[in-house]
Amino acid sequence: MDMTLTNLVFKSMKKNIKHYYLYFFALIFSVTLCFSFITIQYNPSVTAALEASGTATAGFESITYVLYFILIFFILYANQLFMKRRSKEIGLYQLIGMTKGLIFRLLLIENVVLFTLAVGIGMVWGFLTSRFFAMILMKLMLNDAIVSLSFSMTAFSKSIIIFALLLVVVLIQIFIMIRKASLLSLFNAAKIADERIKKFSIFHMIMGIIGIGLIAYGYYDSTRLFSVEGATTNNLLVNMLLILGSTILGTYLFFRYSVALIMNLIRKSKKGHLKITDVLGVTTIMHRMKGNASSLTLITVLTGLAVGIMTLSYISYYSSESNAKQSSPFDYILLNNNGNEFLEQLKAEGIEYEKTTFHISNVNIKTSDLFNLDEKNAEYINVNQEVVTAAVPLSDYKKINPEVHLKDGEIMMTSYSNVLSKLLPLESKKKINVKTSEKNYSLFIKEVREDQFFLSVLASGSSPVLIVKDELFHELEKAQNPAISTQIGINLAKEKDRERAEIIFKNLRESNVIQYANLKTYKEYYDENIAISGMSIFVTGFLGLAFLLTTGSILYFKQMGEAEDERDSYTILRKIGFSNGELMRGIYVKQLFNFGMPLMIGLFHSYFAVKSGWWLFGSEMTTPMMIINIFYVAMYTVFGILSVLYYKKIVKEAL
């Protein structure tokens, strides 16, 4: 019996290879990603680079568990689809006298063989590609360290345990499915009809409109998420949950009812004159929406989540330079004329530089004068609170912007924090009151500018810098006694001198010649940003690939199943005279919807999610988002083409 069962296993696997091949390769790719990612964590070169940059390694560990979850979800979902495809085969086994226990043994051997092969091949590829991915990580972090191919026994043993547990979960799923299934249900599983819409009711229409309305509400509310005056409630978490809930529910209702509503309107507009494209495209989409709504909703949400996370990470990476400029707008900054030895050593080394000196005083301004705050906003901000803000004379500011002019009583505001400028924008063309310890001044805001020339640690509470006329500045200077009275900005003339200049600055800082220990150079800020955002985009890229593999494969597997279900319909259509080309035109419409609609809505979800708070991560949204979107569209197109090719094969075999 064991020999017979073994033969049966291999014959069954050979027979089902057309169903299993993509699942097998997708499983190999998933294992490759997971094992490669785990191996990178224990690569000595990567570990040393992360420790040197001060980047936390805890992110690797947490992302590993997310990858495991994605892998488990994908395998269980795909296995359920393939078990449904094989339901008739399992029913035949029962008809010829095989017990459920014997059938489970057969499937157990099949899955152990398949899983072992996939895990073995995937781990070999994961090990071989780990150096490639580690080099990508080093490149993203701008680290020139040499990465060697390193095998970790810890990574290997952890992976074996995880994949073994995953196999056990799959076998439990198969056992439950076989135990619960009756002989009749097995023969009918692949033929269970999706919704057959006889009449599109008022209820369907209302639910379809509600679905579109919920998505629109979620999009609209996301644009007000960080707006103090526009938020739905005073609780940020509640607002986020409202947006998330309405968008997800709206997405489900859209696929469940709105699509059928739109398709029904299209069909009615034809007035009964349906072409073969309409039958194979519009009608089949509408009739399968009940069964596909949940999976399409899940795929859409996962796509939006993955694209959103990857876009935010790329925004942070893409904006590393501008973020560093906000923190330190000059290559080097000296305060209170401290650290002139740095300038002397630059001259001694023959390093050319440009020096810009700013004199600094300060004033007190009421929050209510800076921003237009109503009663609702007062719940967030104390309108009577006074903030200390820096003031710089116009003559100093003209060193970087020589074209500006001010009249008596006029001021300009600049160097305002990018994040706060989105939440609480400043307004020009109005009067404000500023005061010193001796006097109050009524001044008119001529203009609000976005220049960055002020060291971020000097801006108390990230308040704006006031540009005032020199006469007024001298009055402020006499009345106030600021802790920091001068800022000297130094830019190198030649990039090739930066390495030597960095060494000089750091040595003087360590020996306390430059007394401000927290005074960092532009390059230090930039390197920190690159290290953090480089690792961030690397791990989110892995997640994005995993999500892409999962959603794309599930869509493809579902289309394989639908193609098999519709094989008899294609045979009938071919017999009554329709050509392959005519059938394929309807199939193109169907595939465009099945792959294009979840992708399009997912991209819309990610766009509004990212747009609501992208400025928290960087200074540029459009380019990073376009690059990530193009990548996702290209990969979904590949899955769509594979699906079309499979349908073409089925249509050709119809006669």
Side-chain angles (χ1 to χ4, degrees), residues 26 49 65 70 96 106 138 172 252 261 270 300 307 314 334 359 384-385 407 420 451 485 497 613:
Y65 293 117
I70 296 171
I96 62 174
L106 183 149
M138 294 293 101
I172 291 173
Y252 174 78
L261 170 61
K270 303 287 184 178
T300 300
V307 173
Y314 192 33
L334 302 175
H359 296 85
N384 294 316
Q385 178 185 1
K407 297 178 181 178
L420 283 178
D451 306 286
S485 59
D497 295 328

Side-chain angles (χ1 to χ4, degrees), residues 161-268:
I161 292 171
I162 291 296
F163 293 137
L165 290 174
L166 180 56
L167 177 59
V168 171
V169 172
V170 171
L171 294 177
I172 291 173
Q173 181 194 33
I174 293 173
F175 177 78
I176 293 172
M177 291 175 71
I178 292 176
R179 185 178 179 85
K180 290 176 65 177
S182 64
L183 189 60
L184 183 61
S185 67
L186 287 170
F187 277 104
N188 290 332
K191 294 183 178 180
I192 294 176
D194 288 294
E195 183 177 27
R196 304 301 181 195
I197 300 178
K198 296 178 181 179
K199 183 179 179 181
F200 199 79
S201 66
I202 296 296
F203 172 78
H204 289 157
M205 185 180 298
I206 293 173
M207 296 304 292
I209 295 171
I210 290 175
I212 296 173
L214 284 173
I215 293 176
Y217 168 77
Y219 288 170
Y220 172 69
D221 213 32
S222 69
T223 62
R224 307 183 303 160
L225 180 60
F226 291 101
S227 172
V228 175
E229 70 277 359
T232 303
T233 71
N234 296 338
N235 191 309
L236 179 62
L237 179 61
V238 172
N239 290 335
M240 293 175 70
L241 291 176
L242 279 173
I243 294 169
L244 185 65
S246 64
T247 305
I248 293 176
L249 178 59
T251 303
Y252 174 78
L253 294 178
F254 176 82
F255 284 115
R256 179 66 180 84
Y257 297 106
S258 304
V259 169
L261 170 61
I262 295 168
M263 296 297 177
N264 198 57
L265 292 174
I266 293 173
R267 192 170 62 172
K268 284 184 178 295

Side-chain angles (χ1 to χ4, degrees), residues 232-389:
T232 303
T233 71
N234 296 338
N235 191 309
L236 179 62
L237 179 61
V238 172
N239 290 335
M240 293 175 70
L241 291 176
L242 279 173
I243 294 169
L244 185 65
S246 64
T247 305
I248 293 176
L249 178 59
T251 303
Y252 174 78
L253 294 178
F254 176 82
F255 284 115
R256 179 66 180 84
Y257 297 106
S258 304
V259 169
L261 170 61
I262 295 168
M263 296 297 177
N264 198 57
L265 292 174
I266 293 173
R267 192 170 62 172
K268 284 184 178 295
S269 68
K270 303 287 184 178
K271 298 180 179 179
H273 302 290
L274 297 180
K275 300 178 182 178
I276 189 64
T277 304
D278 302 319
V279 174
L280 293 178
V282 175
T283 307
T284 55
I285 291 169
M286 184 170 63
H287 286 175
R288 286 189 179 271
M289 269 302 102
K290 181 179 181 181
N292 290 343
S294 298
S295 59
L296 290 178
T297 300
L298 179 63
I299 289 167
T300 300
V301 172
L302 289 178
T303 299
L305 177 65
V307 173
I309 291 174
M310 290 178 69
T311 301
L312 291 175
S313 295
Y314 192 33
I315 286 172
S316 178
Y317 186 80
Y318 191 86
S319 306
S320 294
E321 184 176 351
S322 60
N323 289 342
K325 278 294 182 187
Q326 285 183 10
S327 300
S328 180
F330 296 91
D331 291 340
Y332 306 94
I333 290 179
L334 302 175
L335 303 176
N336 283 350
N337 293 314
N338 173 258
N340 285 320
E341 294 84 351
F342 176 63
L343 300 178
E344 294 171 1
Q345 290 195 29
L346 289 181
K347 290 179 182 177
E349 290 287 332
I351 298 175
E352 298 179 19
Y353 62 87
E354 295 178 358
K355 183 181 79 169
T356 308
T357 302
F358 298 94
H359 296 85
I360 304 168
S361 186
N362 56 43
V363 291
N364 293 348
I365 306 178
K366 272 191 176 183
T367 304
S368 56
D369 285 341
L370 278 178
F371 316 107
N372 286 330
L373 301 174
D374 54 24
E375 293 181 2
K376 183 178 181 181
N377 298 333
E379 298 179 15
Y380 299 90
I381 299 168
N382 182 1
V383 294
N384 294 316
Q385 178 185 1
E386 287 189 353
V387 295
V388 179
T389 189

Side-chain angles (χ1 to χ4, degrees), residues 474-544:
H474 294 316
E475 289 186 37
L476 300 178
E477 198 174 26
K478 291 176 184 177
Q480 302 291 92
N481 185 26
I484 298 173
S485 59
T486 60
Q487 171 189 291
I488 300 175
I490 301 149
N491 283 330
L492 299 179
K494 299 176 182 177
E495 183 63 30
K496 66 182 180 66
D497 295 328
R498 186 177 298 278
E499 186 175 350
R500 287 188 295 155
E502 288 288 314
I503 294 172
I504 294 170
F505 189 90
K506 290 174 185 177
N507 288 339
L508 291 174
R509 188 175 58 193
E510 289 173 3
S511 59
N512 289 324
V513 175
I514 295 176
Q515 295 176 1
Y516 295 90
N518 62 344
L519 206 57
K520 295 181 181 179
T521 69
Y522 161 77
K523 188 175 187 305
E524 287 177 317
Y525 281 115
Y526 178 72
D527 288 346
E528 286 179 5
N529 292 343
I530 283 291
I532 295 171
S533 58
M535 190 185 112
S536 174
I537 196 172
F538 179 77
V539 296
T540 54
F542 256 87
L543 278 181

Side-chain angles (χ1 to χ4, degrees), residues 146 154 261 462 557 637:
I146 297 174
T154 305
L261 170 61
S462 298
F557 295 155
T637 301

